[in-house]
Amino acid sequence: MATTYDWSDLKAIPQNDGGKPLAPISYNAEYVAAMNLLRGVMAVEEYSERALALTAEVIEMNPAHYTVWEYRSRILKSIGKDIVPKDKRLVPDGDEDFDIVDFADWLNATSLDNPKNYQVWNYRQLLEPVRSDNPESKIFYLMELELVRDVISDDTKNFHAWSHLKWVVNRVSERYEESGGSSTISKADSDDKAQEKTAEESDFTEVFSLKGQLKFSDLFIEEDVYNNSAWSYRYFVHSQWGILSKVELAASEERFNEEINYVKERIALAPQNEAVWTYLVGIYDKYDHDAHPLDELESLCIQYAAADHIESSHALELLLRIYEQRQDKAKASAALDTLEKLLPMRSGYWEYKRRSLG
């Protein structure tokens, strides 16, 4: 990698720990040599392919070195490289000497090896193509989605990957809605527009549609119904472009009912699953209260929190909330009696709730 380049013209800069460091870090010789070179490169602000190779070498030895990640992004922007492989490029870059495919492979391999590294996810976002009308932009977002899927498949609750996915989806929606494109998530379900589309365009529209992203969350919910990350992401999708969207609220009644049925089926699989009950309450809290007040869930709650058979403390707690909103003190007090027995570790909270009944 970096060792294949001639560095004789560059002055390496050793690390300055002061005259007598109290506890110097014992770096290996290879890392010391690479960092000395990198300090020299950064001192003269060299943006070149050999500098790019050097950053890769340092990152492989120390993936958490955020300064190197930041400098690497500056190099790429300076020499005009990006993450999109040549075989998927729609606009030739005219530079056949630099193998961009190797770079994309390197970054993905590094990301998969360090899936909980803050720097690698931030770096990937820095590589976003500047212009949304660049045909390669859509390929970039598809590649990011594929990488996220690979990471989450191995670690289904990886916070960084789920957060990056939200960033990708937000950027797609913002950029293509602003530019008046037809491939926004909020418009992607309007498939009756007869337009010629390339294979890449069709993939992009399908994947970044409301249906496509709900399907993505469903993959991981089906694998583990307790996956709170997947439920949280599903709520995010609906909040932005689904049944909770103010733009689509008037036309979302059918979607709302479909989603509630979907949730009820998952509750039946695991009644004591806090994630699904939280999701259900969130949907009702954000939806049109006049059309669907929370108390219409009373019968569902009773199904799992009958007086003689409590399958779900979450159902009972939701019943308590319904009774509070209805100002039914007798039923609310009875629900509190049971909750105090089921969850004595929250006794202080139950006392507070009882006092609030008046």
Side-chain angles (χ1 to χ4, degrees):
M1 195 175 270
T3 54
T4 63
Y5 292 90
D6 179 11
W7 296 96
S8 60
D9 62 312
L10 186 80
K11 181 182 178 181
I13 301 178
Q15 179 169 308
N16 183 3
D17 286 330
K20 295 181 179 180
L22 181 63
I25 299 174
S26 181
Y27 299 110
N28 65 49
E30 184 181 4
Y31 183 75
V32 170
M35 281 303 302
N36 290 349
L37 276 178
L38 184 61
R39 277 187 286 271
V41 165
M42 295 176 70
V44 297
E45 296 186 342
E46 177 182 323
Y47 302 127
S48 64
E49 290 174 13
R50 72 173 184 175
L52 190 69
L54 180 59
T55 61
E57 190 169 299
V58 173
I59 286 170
E60 287 175 8
M61 291 186 280
N62 183 8
H65 203 316
Y66 57 86
T67 303
V68 184
W69 281 108
E70 193 278 333
Y71 192 70
R72 183 178 177 86
S73 71
R74 279 195 275 160
I75 295 172
L76 285 170
K77 290 180 180 180
S78 176
I79 64 179
K81 306 301 178 187
D82 58 45
I83 192 175
V84 179
K86 280 183 179 177
D87 63 345
K88 291 187 176 181
R89 290 198 167 194
L90 305 180
V91 180
D93 66 352
D95 182 359
E96 296 301 324
D97 296 326
F98 185 77
D99 190 358
I100 200 74
V101 176
D102 285 346
F103 163 62
D105 289 345
W106 174 85
L107 178 58
N108 288 338
T110 302
S111 300
L112 291 171
D113 287 341
N114 302 275
K116 295 186 177 180
N117 182 320
Y118 286 94
Q119 287 73 35
V120 70
W121 294 105
N122 179 69
Y123 175 79
R124 298 188 76 97
Q125 294 176 13
L126 293 175
L127 297 183
E128 180 185 35
V130 175
R131 294 180 55 174
S132 61
D133 60 351
N134 178 351
E136 294 172 13
S137 294
K138 294 181 179 180
I139 300 174
F140 168 82
Y141 296 122
L142 288 170
M143 291 178 65
E144 292 305 287
L145 182 66
E146 183 178 350
L147 186 278
V148 166
R149 184 186 292 112
D150 289 342
V151 171
I152 295 177
S153 294
D154 186 57
D155 179 6
T156 58
K157 297 184 180 181
N158 186 302
F159 168 80
H160 306 281
W162 285 109
S163 296
H164 189 69
L165 177 59
K166 290 181 180 180
W167 174 83
V168 170
V169 171
N170 261 331
R171 293 301 294 150
V172 168
S173 178
E174 290 169 2
R175 300 190 83 176
Y176 293 100
E177 191 166 358
E178 288 172 2
S179 63
S182 61
S183 295
T184 65
I185 291 181
S186 60
K187 299 176 183 178
D189 287 338
S190 301
D191 296 328
D192 52 352
K193 295 182 179 180
Q195 295 180 347
E196 284 280 339
K197 296 181 179 179
T198 63
E200 290 85 358
E201 184 81 12
S202 296
D203 287 345
F204 184 83
T205 303
E206 181 180 352
V207 169
F208 289 107
S209 66
L210 171 64
K211 189 178 296 183
Q213 288 306 300
L214 289 179
K215 182 179 180 181
F216 185 92
S217 70
D218 193 39
L219 287 173
F220 296 97
I221 290 173
E222 288 302 301
E223 182 179 313
D224 177 13
V225 74
Y226 292 94
N227 189 336
N228 55 300
S229 297
W231 283 108
S232 176
Y233 181 69
R234 192 176 185 90
Y235 182 81
F236 162 80
V237 171
H238 271 312
S239 295
Q240 300 298 318
W241 301 282
I243 57 179
L244 306 183
S245 167
K246 291 181 180 179
V247 175
E248 298 188 8
L249 192 58
S252 62
E253 181 70 13
E254 183 178 351
R255 284 181 181 166
F256 178 87
N257 291 328
E258 288 177 355
E259 191 65 13
I260 298 306
N261 288 333
Y262 175 90
V263 173
K264 288 179 179 179
E265 289 173 1
R266 272 68 194 172
I267 288 176
L269 294 174
Q272 189 56 13
N273 179 5
E274 183 176 7
V276 67
W277 286 101
T278 300
Y279 176 80
L280 177 63
V281 172
I283 292 290
Y284 268 84
D285 279 348
K286 292 291 185 180
Y287 197 68
D288 185 349
H289 291 179
D290 293 331
H292 291 281
L294 190 64
D295 63 4
E296 73 177 21
L297 291 175
E298 181 178 5
S299 61
L300 175 68
C301 293
I302 292 174
Q303 181 180 345
Y304 295 101
D308 57 341
H309 183 57
I310 305 294
E311 290 187 73
S312 173
S313 62
H314 307 297
L316 184 58
E317 194 165 353
L318 179 52
L319 266 181
L320 171 61
R321 178 175 168 180
I322 291 170
Y323 295 148
E324 286 177 322
Q325 289 184 355
R326 198 184 291 167
Q327 297 184 339
D328 189 331
K329 294 182 180 180
K331 288 186 177 180
S333 180
L336 277 170
D337 290 342
T338 307
L339 284 166
E340 286 172 340
K341 295 175 183 177
L342 282 175
L343 303 170
M345 70 290 293
R346 298 176 65 188
S347 59
Y349 179 67
W350 305 135
E351 289 175 10
Y352 161 76
K353 297 294 285 183
R354 195 178 291 281
R355 287 196 303 272
S356 68
L357 290 177

